[in-house]
Amino acid sequence: MARQSGAAPEPTAKAPKVKKRRWYHQLWQVFQMTRRQDPAITPILLGTIAVVLLLAVVISLLTGSWLWFVALLPFAVLAPMVVLARRAETAAYTQIEGQPGAAMAALGTIRRGWSFTQEPVAVDPRSQDLVFRGVGRAGIVLVSEGPAGRAARLLEAERKRTARVVNGVPIHLVQMGDGEGQVPLRKLPRTVQKMRPTLTKQEVGEVTKRLTALGAARPPIPKGVDPYRTRPDRKGARGR
């Protein structure tokens, strides 16, 4: 029998290893983002470290034992990290404030107990006011973006639409904004989390299914279509 010719298959090359992101890489990224929005963060962090070290020295001198200095030394690292986390949160909210979908970005920081639609459930095509919906053990929450007057009308219309399929379920209306009666962006997650639970987990699942069947508030606008310039097809309306 003739031997089959041909070169042996070359061994497959190993995929390059993905370099892991260490915690200090993420910390440095957070610091850079915060510094862009808050240039004073560098002296604030250095001042925090200096205060902690000075306090450790004073306590050690007063007690006559430098064991206090060793014991308090980790706080020279922990304290500035806590300060950075607070300032980074403020910087992040400042960065997205005023942009469409900012409310959803803030609500997305809620890790447990609530599920929110990624897309708005109601949109005003002229003013671009939005309404987002969340479901949790406190019931349903509708969160609006826009001036108080317009947002109130949009919220009420969505509340009526939602109530038709979830009769008896609490529906909370929240206006995100800086106007009277509105909730500032940075306080929005806390406001939703403080709502009192009234539903069981099984009831939450049932409500979610009903709302999923409810669908969108209106047919989606095709891409590339300007909603301000669209006109009805008059011939089609007359049956021609």
Side-chain angles (χ1 to χ4, degrees):
M1 177 180 286
R3 297 179 60 185
Q4 294 182 352
S5 61
E10 297 182 358
T12 56
K14 293 183 178 180
K17 293 184 178 180
V18 179
K19 190 176 181 180
K20 294 183 179 180
R21 289 179 58 85
R22 305 295 181 180
W23 64 270
Y24 46 83
H25 293 153
Q26 297 178 350
L27 187 64
W28 176 248
Q29 187 177 7
V30 170
F31 170 74
Q32 288 182 314
M33 183 275 294
T34 307
R35 187 172 57 179
R36 286 193 294 267
Q37 298 291 329
D38 185 5
I41 186 62
T42 302
I44 289 175
L45 294 179
L46 293 176
T48 303
I49 296 173
V51 169
V52 174
L53 291 177
L54 180 61
L55 182 62
V57 171
V58 171
I59 293 177
S60 298
L61 292 175
L62 292 176
T63 58
S65 174
W66 287 98
L67 290 176
W68 282 103
F69 182 85
V70 177
L72 294 174
L73 197 58
F75 288 94
V77 178
L78 180 61
M81 291 184 66
V82 173
V83 173
L84 177 60
R86 295 290 181 87
R87 306 286 288 207
E89 182 181 8
T90 302
Y93 281 126
T94 303
Q95 190 173 6
I96 66 174
E97 198 165 9
Q99 298 183 13
M104 188 61 244
L107 294 170
T109 62
I110 301 177
R111 300 300 181 188
R112 298 179 58 187
W114 288 90
S115 60
F116 292 90
T117 56
Q118 296 299 314
E119 299 295 331
V121 294
V123 181
D124 188 325
R126 290 191 175 276
S127 63
Q128 298 300 307
D129 296 337
L130 307 174
V131 173
F132 294 94
R133 182 179 64 215
V135 182
R137 292 196 58 192
I140 300 169
V141 61
L142 299 175
V143 181
S144 67
E145 290 183 8
R150 296 199 309 253
R153 293 191 293 270
L154 195 62
L155 276 174
E156 181 60 22
E158 184 60 26
R159 185 197 66 80
K160 291 179 179 179
R161 194 174 79 99
T162 304
R164 296 191 190 104
V165 296
V166 287
N167 187 26
V169 178
I171 302 178
H172 308 275
L173 306 181
V174 178
Q175 292 191 21
M176 188 277 291
D178 297 322
E180 184 178 356
Q182 295 185 318
V183 179
L185 179 63
R186 66 190 62 192
K187 295 184 179 180
L188 185 59
R190 188 68 174 173
T191 300
V192 174
Q193 287 177 308
K194 288 170 62 177
M195 294 179 178
R196 185 178 178 181
T198 57
L199 304 179
T200 64
K201 291 183 178 180
Q202 291 76 12
E203 290 172 334
V204 171
E206 182 62 29
V207 170
T208 302
K209 290 180 181 179
R210 293 186 182 183
L211 292 177
T212 301
L214 180 61
R218 55 182 56 82
I221 300 173
K223 292 183 178 180
V225 176
D226 188 346
Y228 300 103
R229 296 183 179 179
T230 53
R231 296 290 184 270
D233 185 355
R234 300 182 183 276
K235 292 184 179 181
R238 290 196 296 265
R240 297 182 182 178

